[in-house]
Amino acid sequence: MKWIYRIGIFFARILLLLSGLFIPKIRHFSSSRKNLFQRLIAFRSKNQGELAWFHVASLGEYEQARPVIAELKRAKPAHLVVVSFFSPSGYDHVIKKSQPNVDFITYLPVDSKRQAESFVNTLNASLAFFVKYDLWYHHINAVKVRLTPLFLFSASFRADQIYFKRDGFFRNILFQFDYIFTQNKTTFDLLKSINYQQTSITGDTRFDRVAETVRNHKNYPAMAKWVGDKPTFVAGSVWQEDMDLLIPLMNSNPDYRWIIAPHDLSPEPMNRWADQLSLTAVRYSLWDSDNSPEVIFIDNIGMLSSLYQFARIAYVGGAFGKGLHNILEPIGFKVPVIFGKLVKTEKFPEAAESQAKGCGFEVSDPESLIVIFKKLEQPEFYQQSVNSAQKWLEMNIGAAKRIVNKVEELVS
């Protein structure tokens, strides 16, 4: 199987090069890795101390890594931290501004034996962490050859994944890790079912990130004045499919304040939605705070995570399309959260967990949204949902500290 994997990687590299001639995204994937090793060598030659390497697939996994990176820096301030990305979308977003506690950001090279060994040897890490998934055989094997402590955290697996279907090559990748920290009991039980013992349930590290956002949320005095004592509904990262559900609800509830943060920040969809509303609406960038529209469309980046402070109820978009956005952000403010019926349920275990806890609610059409909205209008049901959000938050906060404490114990 190892040779099949290596041959597969070889042909994948050729396919990437050929596809890049016609597909801009793939061309960017390949071209952005051109000077990877030169940059890494230059960084390491100037920074020769002990180093912790974190590998993430994309932006979502980086958000899970950030609390652990911060906690590790508190415990080991002299350690350098390098973060590698597989996805250009994650790398391109993060590289735009300085990242606290991170000393160097790079791409992960394609998982050939030669490139993986060169990458790992140049890094010369004292600790290596993979986040959630994106487990590359040659990179993991190169870490183990060097006897570098290797950890996986925020792990979230499914029973239908190849690791659990059969023994052999892919399952053995999991057994290369010295310890696996899981997000949930499902993953913990799956690991136990294949006799992987070095594991524990530590929770989702995104809750630590969310708690930090809540503690340090941005203040918006004009928005607070506009909200006043009116009940407020915040809809974040919404697409057209989400607005098809929300617009009828908005039109029938003019007594609410509505904060709508679209995924697409271009004016056209916001103008189109405003035309379908019987409520007054304005884009935030054009809003005169002396006026009091019923709807404000947020047409910039960076506000949404703090806007949930104003919410009585939240809606998070994306479930009908490319993927559900972060439902934990409103949960951090103890706000019940509604989301669309998931197309890819297995990729977002937090959605099912939020429903089991009683603070998350899945809807499939305008009618089911109205049903949930009316339930949340009932004081007793609403308070139970708020309490559930608070309990779920408290259960998971501290995951980063638990992970770093265990790593220190194992390494020492």
Side-chain angles (χ1 to χ4, degrees):
M1 186 65 195
K2 181 163 64 175
W3 283 103
I4 295 173
Y5 179 84
R6 293 180 70 174
I7 291 167
I9 291 290
F10 173 78
F11 281 110
R13 292 175 70 188
I14 294 173
L15 185 62
L16 283 169
L17 290 171
L18 292 174
S19 302
L21 297 173
F22 310 100
I23 305 172
K25 282 188 177 180
I26 294 179
R27 183 161 61 248
H28 179 48
F29 176 93
S30 300
S31 63
S32 57
R33 285 167 161 77
K34 274 186 179 176
N35 299 317
L36 186 160
F37 284 100
Q38 293 92 316
R39 291 180 64 246
L40 185 61
I41 291 166
F43 166 76
R44 211 53 178 115
S45 65
K46 295 176 183 176
N47 302 272
Q48 298 181 4
E50 287 196 283
L51 183 148
W53 167 37
F54 290 78
H55 174 64
V56 300
S58 193
L59 187 60
E61 294 70 43
Y62 177 63
E63 288 299 315
Q64 291 180 300
R66 287 179 70 177
V68 180
I69 291 170
E71 190 62 38
L72 184 70
K73 275 286 195 179
R74 278 192 284 272
K76 298 178 180 293
H79 267 59
L80 298 163
V81 170
V82 168
V83 176
S84 63
F85 282 84
F86 183 78
S87 161
S89 61
Y91 177 93
D92 290 346
H93 181 89
V94 168
I95 203 69
K96 289 176 183 176
K97 56 184 179 181
S98 176
Q99 297 299 316
N101 303 310
V102 178
D103 299 286
F104 188 73
I105 299 168
T106 179
Y107 280 106
L108 190 79
V110 176
D111 193 43
S112 71
K113 185 173 187 294
R114 182 181 62 81
Q115 289 206 102
E117 289 176 352
S118 179
F119 182 83
V120 169
N121 290 337
T122 304
L123 265 182
N124 190 25
S126 309
L127 298 167
F129 299 87
F130 280 61
V131 183
K132 194 173 181 179
Y133 54 80
D134 210 43
L135 311 182
W136 296 101
Y137 168 76
H138 287 301
H139 283 84
I140 288 170
N141 194 55
V143 171
K144 291 307 293 179
V145 166
R146 294 176 58 88
L147 303 179
T148 303
L150 177 64
F151 305 98
L152 174 64
F153 67 83
S154 288
S156 179
F157 292 126
R158 310 182 307 274
D160 62 353
Q161 287 178 294
I162 195 167
Y163 310 113
F164 308 105
K165 284 186 171 181
R166 63 177 68 90
D167 201 356
F169 178 80
F170 288 102
R171 182 176 293 183
N172 287 338
I173 292 175
L174 295 181
F175 280 84
Q176 299 306 304
F177 286 94
D178 294 296
Y179 204 90
I180 297 178
F181 303 92
T182 76
Q183 279 191 48
N184 49 51
K185 191 173 186 298
T186 300
T187 299
F188 177 83
D189 290 342
L190 283 170
L191 290 169
K192 290 290 187 178
S193 74
I194 60 171
N195 204 31
Y196 185 95
Q197 301 299 327
Q198 293 297 102
T199 181
S200 61
I201 307 167
T202 47
D204 190 339
T205 54
R206 285 180 298 175
F207 279 97
D208 289 324
R209 179 80 181 125
V210 163
E212 183 183 345
T213 299
V214 171
R215 285 193 301 271
N216 302 302
H217 69 263
K218 298 171 186 173
N219 294 314
Y220 297 104
M223 189 75 77
K225 183 180 176 183
W226 170 72
V227 166
D229 59 358
K230 286 184 176 290
T232 303
F233 192 112
V234 178
S237 302
V238 294
W239 299 68
Q240 180 63 51
E241 296 88 346
D242 302 299
M243 291 303 296
D244 289 341
L245 272 65
L246 288 166
I247 286 171
L249 180 70
M250 295 168 70
N251 282 332
S252 59
N253 288 276
D255 52 326
Y256 264 72
R257 295 299 198 199
W258 299 88
I259 299 173
I260 309 295
H263 178 81
D264 180 359
L265 299 182
S266 58
E268 192 277 325
M270 287 180 261
N271 293 337
R272 186 174 67 250
W273 298 334
D275 289 341
Q276 297 174 53
L277 291 168
S278 58
L279 312 175
T280 55
V282 67
R283 299 207 309 273
Y284 182 79
S285 62
L286 302 176
W287 176 43
D288 179 347
S289 59
D290 290 333
N291 297 328
S292 291
E294 290 146 317
V295 181
I296 293 180
F297 290 107
I298 306 302
D299 55 353
N300 61 48
I301 294 172
M303 288 181 68
L304 176 59
S305 61
S306 290
L307 290 176
Y308 289 116
Q309 68 184 289
F310 301 116
R312 184 181 188 276
I313 303 170
Y315 179 99
V316 172
F320 296 112
K322 292 188 176 181
L324 181 65
H325 292 269
N326 192 350
I327 68 168
L328 302 184
E329 288 181 338
I331 294 293
F333 287 96
K334 308 180 189 69
V335 175
V337 60
I338 304 170
F339 44 86
K341 188 170 180 59
L342 280 160
V343 176
K344 303 172 183 176
T345 53
E346 69 284 352
K347 290 191 71 175
F348 304 95
E350 67 272 20
E353 196 166 350
S354 73
Q355 292 177 80
K357 299 296 183 190
C359 54
F361 305 94
E362 187 180 78
V363 297
S364 56
D365 51 42
E367 291 73 28
S368 57
L369 175 59
I370 288 170
V371 168
I372 290 299
F373 181 82
K374 286 182 176 178
K375 278 190 175 183
L376 289 168
E377 287 277 82
Q378 300 168 14
E380 187 177 347
F381 185 86
Y382 178 77
Q383 193 57 51
Q384 287 175 354
S385 299
V386 170
N387 293 343
S388 297
Q390 182 171 359
K391 286 178 185 176
W392 191 28
L393 184 68
E394 290 170 353
M395 282 171 57
N396 282 274
I397 285 176
K401 190 172 183 63
R402 291 191 287 273
I403 289 166
V404 171
N405 286 347
K406 185 65 176 178
V407 166
E408 287 191 293
E409 175 193 321
L410 292 169
V411 171
S412 64

